[in-house]
Every structure is written in C-alpha cells, then in structure tokens.
Amino acid sequence: MPPIDVAPVPGPDPDSDSDQIFRLQEQVRQLKEAVVSHAVVDQAIGVVIALGGVTPDEGWIVLKEVSQHTNIKLRNVAETVLIWGRTGVMPPEILTALEDRLGRPVCGGPALSEPPSGSPRVSGRNSR
C-alpha cells in the first residue's frame, strides 16, 4: 500500500486568534448596544401609543417618520421622547414632527421646548 500524503495540520496562529478575539469582542459590544437601543425604542413606542392612541405598529412608524423628517437617528428620537415623558421638555423640531405625525398636539397646546412656568410636568399617567 502506498503512503498517503497528509498535509500538516496548522498550529494555532497567535495573530489570527487575537484578530478573532477582537472581532468577537466587537460583535458582543455591538449586540449589547443593539439590545439597549431596542429597549429604548420600544419604550418610546409605548409613549407614542399613549399619546396618540395608535397601535404599536403605528407607533413604530411615527417614530421612524419623525426620525427621517428631522434627520435625527431613531434611537436619539426615542431617547428624546423618553426624556420628554420625564421632564416635559422636548426640542421644538422633534415635537413639531411628532405632532404632525400624530395629527394633534401632544402636550395640550402649542409646541414648546420648555413647559410654561408653574404648569404641571407630564407624568405619562392618566389619573382616574
């Protein structure tokens, strides 16, 4: 029987291992960021649902259109909506775009970047 030629099995290449580790660490970082971003967007959709009486799918569309109209990243629009829910303050360009998409004022009056002094802050909850 003739001998079989077997290619040598390459040993571990330290450079490729470290490159792979770096790529995997970067992928993990990106996935963690995506999970956080997804949660922020989902919470903002909830605020839009409460404000506009829309479905979750419509809330997603509203946020996406506000992002596109204002040329602000979706995650940043979502973060702004959440901050507005806590503070009552929203940049006028985002508030105007949000009101346009919902077809009505979202704070019961003109689009304001700051609430009038002495007015109650928006709590995001209805009192019953």
Side-chain angles (χ1 to χ4, degrees):
M1 193 184 228
I4 300 174
D5 287 337
V6 177
V9 175
D13 180 359
D15 289 334
S16 68
D17 286 347
S18 64
D19 288 346
Q20 184 177 9
I21 290 169
F22 175 78
R23 284 191 305 274
L24 290 172
Q25 287 173 331
E26 179 62 18
Q27 188 176 26
V28 167
R29 184 193 65 75
Q30 290 173 358
L31 289 171
K32 285 179 179 180
E33 187 176 312
V35 167
V36 169
S37 181
H38 187 75
V40 168
V41 171
D42 282 349
Q43 291 171 27
I45 289 171
V47 172
V48 172
I49 290 168
L51 288 174
V54 297
T55 68
D57 288 340
E58 291 167 335
W60 160 250
I61 291 168
V62 166
L63 282 181
K64 187 172 69 167
E65 288 178 353
V66 168
S67 171
Q68 291 170 346
H69 181 75
T70 60
N71 199 28
I72 298 172
K73 288 183 178 185
L74 179 68
R75 178 186 174 155
N76 293 344
V77 169
E79 288 172 342
T80 300
V81 168
L82 294 179
I83 290 169
W84 175 77
R86 290 189 303 269
T87 67
V89 177
M90 183 183 293
E93 67 273 13
I94 294 177
L95 184 56
T96 299
L98 185 59
E99 289 177 334
D100 288 348
R101 297 316 173 276
L102 290 174
R104 65 187 181 103
V106 295
C107 62
L112 300 172
S113 60
E114 295 184 22
S117 61
S119 69
R121 299 273 187 195
V122 174
S123 69
R125 295 187 178 143
N126 294 330
S127 57
R128 293 185 183 213

